[in-house]
Amino acid sequence: MGVPEAMRAVRITAHGGPEILELAEVDVPAPQAGEVLVQVGAVALNNTDVWTREGAYGRPGDPKALSGWRGPIDFPRIQGADVAGRIVAVGTGVDAQLVGRRVVIDPAIYDGEGPDANPVGLMGSERDGGYAEYVTASAERVHDMTESPLTDDQLAALPTAYGTALGMIERGRLREGETALVSGASGGVGLALVQIARARGARVLAISSGTKIDSVREAGAYEVVDRARDVAEQIRAAAPQGIDVTLDVVAGELLAEGLPLLREGGRWVVAGAIGGSDVTFDVRRLYLHNAQMIGSSMHTPAHFALLMDLARRAEVQPVVAATFPLDQAARAQEELARRGHVGKIVMHP
């Protein structure tokens, strides 16, 4: 079966919300030199879809956003960073034997070629993504997952959330036997942090709330702190010897209250600020206790390759909360924004 000339895709034409998404018929992209064409089997949603349409990271639409990433976005843009599928065609210079291989795409756009390059952009934002039946990608950024026992839905859940989580864990140098505190543990990155930290042999203390607590515990947390109560007091009771590494996607008041709970030489890794980006804390807590504050944005190529190795062995089991067809992308994004789910939301073209 050949590749068709046209495909269905969901695009954005301006910054906005789910109401601006449009289902369109567009040309199937042709793989350029060094690229492959992937037939999308599943595409997972994440907060970058919201950031893309609202103009975060210094893009137009959010004057208070950070400015570390590239932009602006060229509209119309096909969203979708997290793609699993099969290679159906290759560009010049790419081994034709890759056709038919089941793959996951590393969605990051890096500032260099080495294994420790930094992410400065994202598929679905700075280039077209996987809210479509087909997407192109650099052959260097596709990882063969043909032998993985994980489903396409589970594989699609990995790139951004689990890549970000593994980047945090690697930069925080989390080791077997250490105690890790995970904030926002029921979200995509938070649940990934719990699973990967547990797989690494860490003792995981997680922060969640309400009906999500049981799901977080099932993911591997030995103790779950209820954020509706005094968080610091609960952490002290659960980890009286202190925390080795905090893996934080919340920031806000948690950072100021939690820093004193680190052990000597502890590390606090931040990769989000859903609790607030303006933070005040006593800097003496850092230098008098040899603590470290580490910023972490997504993953490096080396981190992503390590994640794919974990997925080939099924050492992580992504949780899929819900699935939607591509033509219900707006409904899927609305469900994502409500934050009532545990795990990832996935769409099928």
Side-chain angles (χ1 to χ4, degrees):
M1 178 178 176
V3 177
E5 294 183 356
M7 67 177 184
R8 296 185 313 149
V10 172
R11 308 188 300 181
I12 53 173
T13 57
H15 293 297
E19 73 281 352
I20 68 164
L21 297 178
E22 63 171 24
L23 182 65
E25 185 173 290
V26 301
D27 293 339
V28 172
Q32 303 302 303
E35 291 185 338
V36 298
L37 179 67
V38 175
Q39 184 176 17
V40 178
V43 55
L45 279 67
N46 56 67
N47 285 333
T48 59
D49 299 331
V50 178
W51 294 339
T52 298
R53 68 177 188 238
E54 293 183 350
Y57 287 121
R59 302 183 181 106
D62 184 358
K64 295 182 179 179
L66 300 178
S67 58
W69 284 40
R70 306 298 185 252
I73 297 170
D74 293 325
F75 294 113
R77 174 65 74 223
I78 299 172
Q79 291 184 293
D82 295 352
V83 174
R86 282 174 172 76
I87 296 175
V88 294
V90 300
T92 57
V94 180
D95 188 352
Q97 293 186 4
L98 289 176
V99 172
R101 306 304 290 178
R102 184 167 171 247
V103 297
V104 169
I105 301 173
D106 179 352
I109 298 170
Y110 296 104
D111 64 356
E113 298 298 327
D116 299 320
N118 297 301
V120 293
L122 194 67
M123 187 170 74
S125 178
E126 280 68 30
R127 62 168 293 172
D128 282 338
Y131 279 24
E133 295 176 297
Y134 297 89
V135 63
T136 57
S138 168
E140 295 181 353
R141 298 295 171 227
V142 295
H143 293 255
D144 190 345
M145 305 303 291
T146 305
E147 304 304 321
S148 173
L150 300 182
T151 67
D152 279 359
D153 287 3
Q154 290 176 306
L155 290 174
L158 292 171
T160 302
Y162 283 75
T164 297
L166 187 54
M168 295 173 72
I169 286 170
E170 287 290 297
R171 292 182 179 108
R173 307 183 306 283
L174 179 65
R175 297 183 293 269
E176 182 179 358
E178 290 190 317
T179 297
L181 174 66
V182 176
S183 68
S186 63
V189 175
L191 206 65
L193 285 166
V194 171
Q195 290 183 331
I196 298 174
R198 176 64 181 268
R200 183 158 292 196
R203 185 170 179 259
V204 183
L205 175 63
I207 303 173
S208 188
S209 64
T211 58
K212 300 177 181 180
I213 287 178
D214 288 342
S215 297
V216 172
R217 188 174 285 111
E218 290 172 6
Y222 85 93
E223 187 71 49
V224 183
V225 169
D226 188 344
R227 63 176 178 159
R229 297 162 46 208
D230 187 323
V231 170
E233 180 181 354
Q234 293 176 78
I235 294 172
R236 288 190 188 94
Q241 302 303 315
I243 303 296
D244 293 294
V245 183
T246 295
L247 304 165
D248 184 18
V249 297
V250 173
E253 294 180 357
L254 174 65
L255 199 155
E257 295 176 357
L259 269 179
L261 304 178
L262 287 179
R263 288 178 176 171
E264 296 292 316
R267 289 88 72 197
W268 192 290
V269 187
V270 182
I274 59 177
S277 57
D278 293 329
V279 178
T280 301
F281 63 88
D282 187 341
V283 72
R284 292 172 296 182
R285 184 64 212 182
L286 293 179
Y287 67 80
L288 291 179
H289 298 274
N290 295 303
Q292 297 177 47
M293 183 76 66
I294 302 168
S296 183
S297 178
M298 288 185 63
H299 52 264
T300 66
H303 296 156
F304 199 84
L306 178 59
L307 174 63
M308 293 298 101
D309 286 341
L310 293 175
R312 290 187 188 97
R313 300 190 298 269
E315 291 187 17
V316 291
Q317 296 280 339
V319 176
V320 177
T323 60
F324 292 84
L326 184 64
D327 59 10
Q328 293 184 23
R331 182 181 163 201
Q333 286 195 355
E334 289 167 354
E335 183 68 19
L336 173 69
R338 278 193 285 269
R339 299 185 184 277
H341 60 286
V342 175
K344 298 292 290 182
I345 295 174
V346 173
M347 290 194 303
H348 298 146

